[in-house]
Amino acid sequence: MANKTFKRIGVLTSGGDAPGMNAAVRAVVISAVFKGIEVMGIYEGYKGLIENDMKLLSSRDVSNIINHGGTILFSNRCDKFKTPEGLQIAVENCRKNGIDGIVCIGGDGTFRGATDLSRLGIPCIGIPGTIDNDISATDYTIGYDTAKNTVIEMVDRLRDTCESHDRCNVVEVMGRNAGYIAVECGIATGAIAVAIKEIPFDKEEFIDRMQKLTKLGKRNFIVIASEGMGGDFTENLTKEIQSRTGIESKFARLAHVQRGGCPTCTDRVIATLMGKKAVDLLTEGKYNLVVCYNNGKICDVEMEYAFMLDKIVKGKATEEEIASLAPDVREKMMIDAENIKEHMNSLYEIAHIMAR
Ligand code: ADP
């Protein structure tokens, strides 16, 4: 049934693209149309909202997209949207186009934009779309599974040639400041070591272990480093391994290849569930929420909670900010943050236990 207050909603993809975004767009369109609501596809994220670049999407328009990487709505980064004038133009264009609410698919930056719009009377729901899995409020972000599978396919290939040539390959993977792709792919590819920003890298222990394994006859060495290590960490580590162990060492940066490709089944299914949930939330009159996937279930979390939890996990929250939280919220956030850190620590430990 059509909801009286929602005649037309918008959908946009913003920030870094991720495989599975199309599946989410498709689910938003099909779920809304089923409820008798029109959907305006907004192009290039918030840029399209400011430049009035949008068009109505029918279910036919989202046919044959669930299987494709990238995003049919394209993505962009739009600094003008962050200014009061840009935001005002975006709100006016929503009003002009009869947009009653927006589903914003993207990462942390996208959600900040969604919060600004919600505050100015355009209800928004966020869907986490980023390969980095770096949104603390959700166990899973759309694109993460596909990116990991792309990485392991590439690394398996490198490992084959490492074995033939008695070589080491240091591979830099994406994830921005989050080490999830690195650590899970380290486990999945049998890497000898993983270097991530969250946990100090014990280079001496690693070199020592590599030398011992060489004596035992191991000929292939994969090291996975997260881009969060920054600067020339990966290149420098490659050179140091070669000079200290005598094992020929090569460097590989997988870069944007990790962002493309057909989404995996997991990404398609979770994106579909999230897209439908976002429409349900909007039509229930809810807004300023992030759709999440936690403990195997689709749920929703308040944007403000998601932002603060991220800050706490990343050690960026001030004592005043933490003290200003309601006691029950603070307690829940601290437990959530602790669980997230423990999960990463245990993945990291397992990756290194398996590399002996
Ligand atoms: P992601 O959503 O993947 O984190 P970005 O950080 O690039 O990617 O954000 C995507 C877009 O969201 C930006 O280009 C901008 O238009 C908007 N945005 C980002 N940060 C903010 C902010 N603090 N306030 C309002 N809008 C923002």
Side-chain angles (χ1 to χ4, degrees):
M1 289 292 289
N3 182 306
K4 277 195 187 112
T5 56
F6 278 86
K7 291 199 174 95
R8 179 180 290 178
I9 62 169
V11 59
L12 59 83
T13 51
S14 157
D17 67 342
M21 279 184 162
N22 279 331
V25 170
R26 171 182 179 268
V28 167
V29 172
I30 294 174
S31 313
V33 168
F34 180 71
K35 287 177 180 241
I37 299 167
E38 290 180 330
V39 181
M40 194 68 107
I42 300 159
Y43 290 95
E44 297 194 53
Y46 296 118
K47 184 166 177 265
L49 211 47
I50 288 179
E51 295 181 357
N52 216 3
D53 186 9
M54 52 187 89
K55 88 163 196 168
L56 279 177
L57 297 176
S58 68
S59 296
R60 181 70 189 92
D61 291 319
V62 293
S63 168
N64 198 29
I65 68 165
I66 193 169
N67 42 334
H68 293 292
T71 156
I72 60 156
L73 294 177
F74 313 131
S75 191
N76 211 323
R77 295 195 159 94
C78 177
D79 285 337
K80 191 173 173 192
F81 180 75
K82 292 192 202 171
T83 65
E85 305 76 54
L87 184 60
Q88 202 48 48
I89 296 170
V91 171
E92 279 161 21
N93 279 334
C94 286
R95 304 256 187 257
K96 261 192 237 159
N97 288 286
I99 294 174
D100 301 315
I102 305 181
V103 178
C104 304
I105 307 166
D108 181 70
T110 302
F111 296 163
R112 290 190 185 271
T115 294
D116 289 345
L117 285 172
S118 293
R119 196 167 32 82
L120 293 182
I122 309 294
C124 289
I125 298 287
I127 293 184
T130 161
I131 65 164
D132 305 333
N133 201 31
D134 62 350
I135 295 168
S136 305
T138 179
D139 291 347
Y140 193 85
T141 60
I142 296 169
Y144 177 46
D145 191 59
T146 307
K148 283 185 295 182
N149 280 289
T150 303
V151 169
I152 65 173
E153 188 191 334
M154 298 296 149
V155 173
D156 287 349
R157 288 169 191 231
L158 290 170
R159 198 167 174 197
D160 286 345
T161 161
C162 283
E163 174 74 10
S164 307
H165 289 270
D166 197 1
R167 192 187 283 150
C168 172
N169 218 313
V170 184
V171 186
E172 186 186 287
V173 299
M174 278 186 166
R176 287 212 283 190
N177 289 320
Y180 286 106
I181 294 179
V183 81
E184 285 212 23
C185 292
I187 294 172
T189 58
I192 182 163
V194 176
I196 59 174
K197 195 178 174 188
E198 295 88 329
I199 298 173
F201 181 59
D202 189 347
K203 199 163 47 185
E204 296 311 313
E205 183 279 334
F206 151 66
I207 297 271
D208 183 52
R209 193 155 35 86
M210 200 166 161
Q211 284 165 331
K212 283 186 185 136
L213 289 167
T214 306
K215 285 191 189 122
L216 293 172
K218 185 170 168 70
R219 295 173 56 87
N220 63 76
F221 294 96
I222 294 290
V223 178
I224 308 243
S226 142
E227 68 177 329
M229 295 304 288
D232 294 330
F233 174 87
T234 321
E235 287 98 325
N236 291 340
L237 182 65
T238 311
K239 287 181 199 146
E240 192 171 341
I241 292 169
Q242 179 153 319
S243 68
R244 289 182 60 185
T245 66
I247 297 166
E248 186 191 12
S249 299
K250 299 281 184 198
F251 160 71
R253 177 175 286 129
L254 299 187
H256 291 81
V257 72
Q258 296 161 92
R259 291 245 292 259
C262 295
T264 59
C265 179
T266 300
D267 273 327
R268 296 181 199 195
V269 172
I270 294 183
T272 300
L273 300 181
M274 286 183 165
K276 180 183 178 301
K277 177 76 174 180
V279 173
D280 289 345
L281 288 169
L282 269 183
T283 55
E284 282 162 20
K286 296 180 181 159
Y287 60 94
N288 217 20
L289 300 170
V290 185
V291 180
C292 295
Y293 182 78
N294 287 327
N295 304 314
K297 284 195 185 123
I298 300 292
C299 55
D300 55 271
V301 171
E302 284 184 13
M303 291 267 186
E304 294 308 327
Y305 188 96
F307 294 143
M308 195 59 195
L309 179 62
D310 249 348
K311 271 188 154 184
I312 291 174
V313 170
K314 290 165 189 162
K316 289 183 180 163
T318 62
E319 277 179 24
E320 294 77 50
E321 281 175 321
I322 295 173
S324 70
L325 297 166
D328 55 331
V329 174
R330 184 168 54 230
E331 191 185 343
K332 183 172 175 341
M333 245 184 228
M334 290 304 169
I335 294 170
D336 283 355
E338 209 40 54
N339 286 340
I340 289 165
K341 286 184 200 160
E342 260 178 37
H343 177 61
M344 179 58 95
N345 287 341
S346 84
L347 285 175
Y348 187 82
E349 196 186 338
I350 289 166
H352 289 91
I353 287 172
M354 291 298 149
R356 280 197 274 233

